[in-house]
């Protein structure tokens, strides 16, 4: 994570990719923060991330549902 954070200071690192690293660490809060950044930044990945199998483990989390609802993505 430190290496990624260092790179992100020099280069654009998509929030969704950072969320996936947090996923690997099983850090719900970190993943959700990055997903929220992605949505607020209107990143292109927001159109399909709700069905990405790598974030399915968050699907039942109330904050995830709150973030996805306005996007009209499939449940």
């Amino acid at each position: 994570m430190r290496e990624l954070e260092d790179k992100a200071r020099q280069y654009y690192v998509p929030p969704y990719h950072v969320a996936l690293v947090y996923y690997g660490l099983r850090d719900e809060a970190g993943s959700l923060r990055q997903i929220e950044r992605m949505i607020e930044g209107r990143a292109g990945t927001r159109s399909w991330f709700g069905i990405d199998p790598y974030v399915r483990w968050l699907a039942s989390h109330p904050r995830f549902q709150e973030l996805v609802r306005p996007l009209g993505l499939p449940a």
Side-chain angles (χ1 to χ4, degrees):
M1 197 62 213
R2 275 188 231 112
E3 183 179 333
L4 183 60
E5 289 169 349
D6 289 344
K7 292 248 186 242
R9 286 187 197 97
Q10 298 173 4
Y11 308 99
Y12 175 72
V13 178
Y16 186 70
H17 295 148
V18 179
L20 291 179
V21 173
Y22 279 115
Y23 156 78
L25 298 171
R26 300 307 266 183
D27 180 340
E28 282 185 352
S31 286
L32 289 167
R33 266 193 319 275
Q34 294 303 314
I35 289 170
E36 186 169 16
R37 280 188 61 220
M38 176 192 65
I39 291 170
E40 288 174 354
R42 305 185 64 81
T45 50
R46 69 192 182 111
S47 64
W48 54 266
F49 87 96
I51 59 170
D52 187 336
Y54 288 112
V55 296
R56 297 306 299 165
W57 66 283
L58 286 172
S60 63
H61 194 285
R63 181 68 181 133
F64 182 85
Q65 293 173 4
E66 181 182 322
L67 291 168
V68 172
R69 190 174 306 111
L71 300 177
L73 298 175

